[in-house]
Amino acid sequence: MAGMTLLAGFCLVLCAVKSAVSGNSSQHFSDVQEEDARRWFRLMDAELKSLNKHTSIIAWELSVNPSESLGEEGVLLNGIRTKWQEEKCDEALVLLASSTEPKMRRAVNLLCRGPRFSPDETQVLSRVIADMQDTYTDTQICLPKDVNACLRADSLWDFTFVRAPADGGFFWLNLRDFIEGEAVAKASDYFAIIPPDTRFACFDGEPDLERVMTGDFSVLGCQPTRPEIIYHWAWEAWRMAVGVSIGNIYPSAVALMNRGARKGGYRDMGEVWREELEVDNLEEVMWHLWEDVKPFYSLLHAVVRHFLRQEYRIQGFSQHGKIPAHILGNMWSQNWASLHKLLMPDVKLDLEANIRATNWTALDMVAHAEDFFTSLGLRKMTHKFWRYSQFEKNNTTRCHGTAANMFMPDDYRMIVCSEKSLEDLYVIHHEFGHLAYYSAYRNQPTIFQDGTNSAFQEAVGDALFNGVMTPQHLNRMSLLPDEFLLPNNNSMSFRHLEAFNNSRNPPRESQIHNIYDISILLRVALAKIPQIPFEYIVDVFRWSLFRGDVDFEDANDYFWALSELHQGIQAPGRADRRKMFDAGAKFHVADNTPYVRYFLASIIQMQIFKGLCQETVFDRVRPDEPLPMPLHRCDIYGSKRAGRILRKSLSLGASVHWTTVMEILTGSRKISAKPLLEYYKPLIDWLHHTIDKLNIPVGW
């Protein structure tokens, strides 16, 4: 559908809605002021539904079939939305001043909080953000087809090119001088380097280079003998191609956002972002939560560092130091799951291989997720979901995992460029969490059709994926053989641990349930626990830029100071990174999406999972009541009890404060890391034992 048609259609619908609802006066309330307020609410909500519908259509089309004209329509619609919102909030100050209805007041608060922009300012900011998004999603890293990345890995530094968005041509990256510390990031026209008829192999950041960083070199068509060179190349090329360009745009985005925030009565945009979560003293809460989790992360970091040093001989990589960022199996060093085999080489459990050995298609993986959710009594996906969703990569779809609420009856959609991997199975379940939330609150007024806060919106799918990763459910999906299920099986000797130290004695049986349990827990922890410090620093970094505490000239040095302090990682090589903007190599920075929601979700998800377990076992939720099994072995599949409290809490949408939803799901109104540490307790014991026996230093 053409963008102009969408926008014109929206204007016609909005006028019709206003006419219909305005003429429908109600006589059900004796108080004229309350009657006026409710009439205003109905009109506002109907118009908001029309706005959301058309916004979601444009956003969807930009994800699956982007075009410059459609992007401009999105910019114009944002301006219309801003003007509409300002008018509605001005009306609310007059009409709702005397309203005593809590939901009416909450609706106005949700509608009117946040920055204040003029329509022109909104359009300018929308274009700036769109430029960053396009840079991230449409930039490609390219190699001449006659360059063998595996046999001639060192030549990658000399023959790397960038394909700019919107057919902007090819540009050469001077990677060699940069990584050797002799030049800042720069590019020049490729015609000066190679003939114009050279054919290229080009790679997207997601999913192509992201998969290369995990050790999946299939897009390169070969298997390197020195993978660390490929990792370093992909890591550096992506940051030079995308981070530098976004860094040139980002100061303008910050200035525009802060201008709107101050007009709305806030000090800066960071204060706006924090307000949305409705957590009192959020920064203090974050600090204490991270302090609770950091000792566990430090143990994991220490063991990973120990084995990475055995695998890679990298200058300056010491047993007490920080880990070079490019060898952690992830473009952003936030997911270390691909290192699982390195840490447990002798344990004959490879979930990735087991998934690859299935005959599953992308549709099968989605069906497995739907089966888990519906087993709890949540709604099945609709016909429109199966018709419109995109489950595999094509030439136009932007591959970042997405769940879309189209604000039309039973129209919920997903984008995921799925392959047969455990990571993709996780992404599908994560997005299903959003879809389940959309469906559950579908009967709420439009203003309340959102998560109680954004952290809960992100936590639902992850909480349920903890149930997917139980040994019982992995077995149910035929990913874990029957014999791997028995806990504390004396026939399972600790020979599986001999790769760590042949001479050490096994720990007491009470310290470890079953080596396969530990293997699964390790796989989950490697994927999830390194996320937490990264989630912490991304917004600490941006909030500092918003406040003006850090100049943009010093921004990248500050970003790496945070990374070194909290993640215990360091940038590879000797390059001077001062003029870089490495944070811009992350989608959520380019997309201008607040990130602390994911930090809180990482903690909240385990509280939710424990609450669902308690409801399943006891038919009640009490935070401190011990379960009769280890938390990681709590099987909630098919639990209608768990589904009951999920439906109750999710159906409330944004109509209530998050503490109300938290209490329903967990029995507590506070965020706590205790269930997370309880879930990983067997692994924490195993890490302590491994560190003691191998005399591994902890900390950096």
Side-chain angles (χ1 to χ4, degrees):
M1 185 181 294
M4 188 59 70
T5 303
L6 286 171
L7 196 56
F10 159 71
C11 292
L12 289 173
V13 170
L14 192 62
C15 292
V17 165
K18 185 173 295 189
S19 175
V21 179
S22 296
N24 183 20
S25 61
S26 171
Q27 300 300 323
H28 295 298
F29 312 105
S30 58
D31 187 336
V32 174
Q33 288 179 321
E34 287 293 348
E35 181 180 342
D36 288 344
R38 293 187 183 189
R39 186 184 300 115
W40 174 90
F41 179 87
R42 290 195 301 274
L43 175 60
M44 177 277 295
D45 210 62
E47 291 176 354
L48 179 60
K49 183 175 183 178
S50 182
L51 272 167
N52 286 352
K53 172 184 171 182
H54 285 81
T55 300
S56 65
I57 291 171
I58 290 178
W60 178 262
E61 291 299 323
L62 282 171
S63 294
V64 300
N65 193 24
S67 70
E68 187 174 342
S69 62
L70 193 60
E72 186 60 24
E73 290 302 315
V75 168
L76 295 175
L77 182 56
N78 285 340
I80 293 171
R81 188 183 189 110
T82 295
K83 184 178 180 180
W84 172 87
Q85 185 175 3
E86 185 173 351
E87 290 175 353
K88 289 300 168 187
C89 291
D90 288 343
E91 292 170 4
L93 290 175
V94 177
L95 288 171
L96 305 184
S98 60
S99 176
T100 58
E101 293 191 33
K103 284 200 172 183
M104 194 80 75
R105 291 188 172 279
R106 180 160 180 82
V108 173
N109 178 57
L110 294 177
L111 178 69
C112 300
R113 70 187 181 188
R116 299 293 291 264
F117 295 105
S118 70
D120 288 344
E121 288 171 336
T122 298
Q123 291 179 13
V124 172
L125 179 58
S126 296
R127 289 188 181 97
V128 169
I129 294 173
D131 285 346
M132 294 194 295
Q133 293 169 332
D134 290 345
T135 298
Y136 186 94
T137 57
D138 296 347
T139 297
Q140 292 183 309
I141 304 299
C142 303
L143 296 172
K145 285 197 171 181
D146 60 355
V147 172
N148 188 309
C150 298
L151 293 179
R152 300 170 56 198
D154 221 30
S155 68
L156 293 175
W157 306 119
D158 299 309
F159 295 103
T160 299
F161 294 78
V162 174
R163 186 175 188 174
D167 295 322
F170 292 89
F171 297 90
W172 174 64
L173 286 182
N174 184 11
L175 277 175
R176 183 173 294 280
D177 283 353
F178 179 70
I179 64 158
E180 292 178 357
E182 296 177 6
V184 297
K186 63 181 180 180
S188 64
D189 194 301
Y190 87 98
F191 288 108
I193 310 300
I194 57 174
D197 59 348
T198 299
R199 294 182 304 149
F200 288 97
C202 294
F203 313 106
D204 295 316
E206 293 185 52
D208 299 334
L209 295 182
E210 188 177 1
R211 287 175 178 157
V212 166
M213 294 298 294
T214 69
D216 178 356
F217 301 109
S218 56
V219 295
L220 300 178
C222 58
Q223 188 66 33
T225 56
R226 294 192 60 194
E228 68 273 21
I229 296 178
I230 307 292
Y231 298 146
H232 191 183
W233 163 76
W235 190 95
E236 204 68 84
W238 184 244
R239 280 158 178 76
M240 283 185 66
V242 171
V244 173
S245 296
I246 290 173
N248 291 333
I249 303 171
Y250 201 69
S252 298
V254 169
L256 288 165
M257 287 188 284
N258 277 346
R259 187 185 308 164
R262 288 168 187 140
K263 285 169 66 176
Y266 303 86
R267 288 187 294 268
D268 56 66
M269 197 63 177
E271 189 175 8
V272 175
W273 286 6
R274 292 189 292 276
E275 181 188 49
E276 180 274 325
L277 290 156
E278 299 185 312
V279 177
D280 293 337
N281 303 313
L282 174 60
E283 291 177 274
E284 183 180 346
V285 169
M286 289 170 57
W287 173 259
H288 287 298
L289 290 171
W290 171 228
E291 286 295 297
D292 289 342
V293 176
K294 188 174 182 179
F296 173 27
Y297 173 79
S298 297
L299 297 176
L300 192 65
H301 178 281
V303 173
V304 166
R305 177 178 58 194
H306 176 82
F307 288 100
L308 282 174
R309 288 188 72 248
Q310 294 185 357
E311 185 75 6
Y312 304 114
R313 302 299 178 184
I314 297 175
Q315 187 175 3
F317 182 19
S318 74
Q319 64 175 338
H320 298 278
K322 302 166 191 71
I323 302 173
H326 66 295
I327 58 172
L328 282 163
N330 178 259
M331 183 64 80
W332 310 279
S333 307
Q334 66 179 123
N335 183 330
W336 304 349
S338 62
L339 305 180
H340 180 242
K341 272 204 242 181
L342 181 68
L343 272 63
M344 278 195 164
D346 277 9
V347 176
K348 304 306 180 186
L349 172 59
D350 188 338
L351 294 177
E352 292 288 355
N354 292 351
I355 288 181
R356 289 194 298 271
T358 68
N359 60 357
W360 292 352
T361 64
L363 282 174
D364 292 328
M365 294 177 70
V366 175
H368 275 293
E370 182 186 49
D371 173 64
F372 192 92
F373 279 69
T374 56
S375 81
L376 304 177
L378 300 176
R379 291 182 79 211
K380 289 177 69 69
M381 286 297 100
T382 65
H383 170 72
K384 291 178 181 178
F385 169 82
W386 297 104
R387 180 179 178 183
Y388 294 117
S389 292
Q390 306 260 329
F391 303 128
E392 296 178 320
K393 183 179 179 182
N394 60 39
N395 291 331
T396 59
T397 298
R398 293 172 169 179
C399 274
H400 189 81
T402 302
N405 183 357
M406 304 305 293
F407 292 92
M408 291 182 279
D410 287 336
D411 195 349
Y412 315 109
R413 307 177 188 180
M414 175 192 293
I415 297 173
V416 56
C417 297
S418 178
E419 294 188 357
K420 287 194 290 187
S421 73
L422 198 57
E423 175 64 18
D424 285 340
L425 189 66
Y426 157 72
V427 171
I428 290 168
H429 282 80
H430 176 85
E431 302 305 336
F432 251 84
H434 291 296
L435 299 172
Y437 220 153
Y438 301 158
S439 179
Y441 56 54
R442 68 192 183 280
N443 294 322
Q444 287 283 349
T446 308
I447 189 66
F448 297 139
Q449 289 186 27
D450 204 347
T452 183
N453 68 21
S454 56
F456 274 81
Q457 186 74 262
E458 300 298 338
V460 173
D462 286 16
L464 295 188
F465 192 69
N466 292 321
V468 174
M469 289 300 292
T470 60
Q472 301 96 310
H473 193 67
L474 292 171
N475 175 259
R476 194 176 284 121
M477 292 193 296
S478 301
L479 296 179
L480 191 71
D482 294 348
E483 61 268 23
F484 288 11
L485 290 176
L486 299 176
N488 301 317
N489 185 345
N490 291 328
S491 68
M492 292 180 181
S493 73
F494 288 88
R495 60 187 172 80
H496 303 287
L497 301 176
E498 291 175 359
F500 291 100
N501 187 334
N502 289 328
S503 64
R504 72 172 180 270
N505 296 319
R508 296 189 308 274
E509 187 175 288
S510 62
Q511 291 179 295
I512 197 165
H513 300 271
N514 159 333
I515 194 59
Y516 303 112
D517 285 45
I518 302 304
S519 180
I520 294 168
L521 280 173
L522 178 62
R523 174 59 177 73
V524 175
L526 288 170
K528 288 192 170 185
I529 299 305
Q531 304 266 6
I532 295 174
F534 182 75
E535 291 159 349
Y536 180 81
I537 70 170
V538 168
D539 273 1
V540 168
F541 169 73
R542 289 190 287 185
W543 295 343
S544 296
L545 293 182
F546 291 148
R547 287 188 183 114
D549 294 343
V550 177
D551 293 333
F552 278 97
E553 286 293 315
D554 302 320
N556 212 48
D557 287 346
Y558 177 59
F559 179 77
W560 280 105
L562 290 172
S563 301
E564 292 179 9
L565 175 64
H566 296 293
Q567 291 179 277
I569 66 171
Q570 62 187 11
R574 295 175 289 159
D576 179 3
R577 312 204 70 80
R578 185 174 175 79
K579 293 189 177 181
M580 303 288 282
F581 190 68
D582 291 321
K586 179 65 180 171
F587 172 81
H588 299 78
V589 175
D591 193 55
N592 203 45
T593 301
Y595 211 66
V596 70
R597 61 184 62 174
Y598 300 99
F599 173 83
L600 295 177
S602 290
I603 310 298
I604 291 168
Q605 64 171 274
M606 208 61 79
Q607 289 181 268
I608 294 174
F609 180 61
K610 183 175 180 180
L612 297 179
C613 287
Q614 290 182 321
E615 187 72 17
T616 298
V617 174
F618 304 126
D619 199 20
R620 63 181 181 273
V621 178
R622 294 180 181 173
D624 298 323
E625 186 163 9
L627 290 161
M629 77 288 287
L631 185 54
H632 74 277
R633 273 186 170 257
C634 178
D635 185 13
I636 63 172
Y637 179 84
S639 171
K640 298 303 187 287
R641 290 177 175 178
R644 182 183 62 210
I645 65 168
L646 259 180
R647 291 195 308 275
K648 178 180 178 181
S649 59
L650 301 187
S651 68
L652 296 171
S655 68
V656 297
H657 193 270
W658 66 267
T659 52
T660 299
V661 176
M662 176 73 94
E663 189 166 29
I664 295 170
L665 289 170
T666 74
S668 171
R669 298 174 72 87
K670 295 182 179 180
I671 304 173
S672 171
K674 287 182 180 178
L676 182 146
L677 298 175
E678 177 186 346
Y679 178 89
Y680 289 109
K681 179 65 165 60
L683 177 64
I684 292 171
D685 290 343
W686 180 85
L687 289 170
H688 274 299
H689 174 78
T690 302
I691 285 167
D692 290 344
K693 290 299 179 180
L694 294 180
N695 195 28
I696 298 173
V698 177
W700 51 86

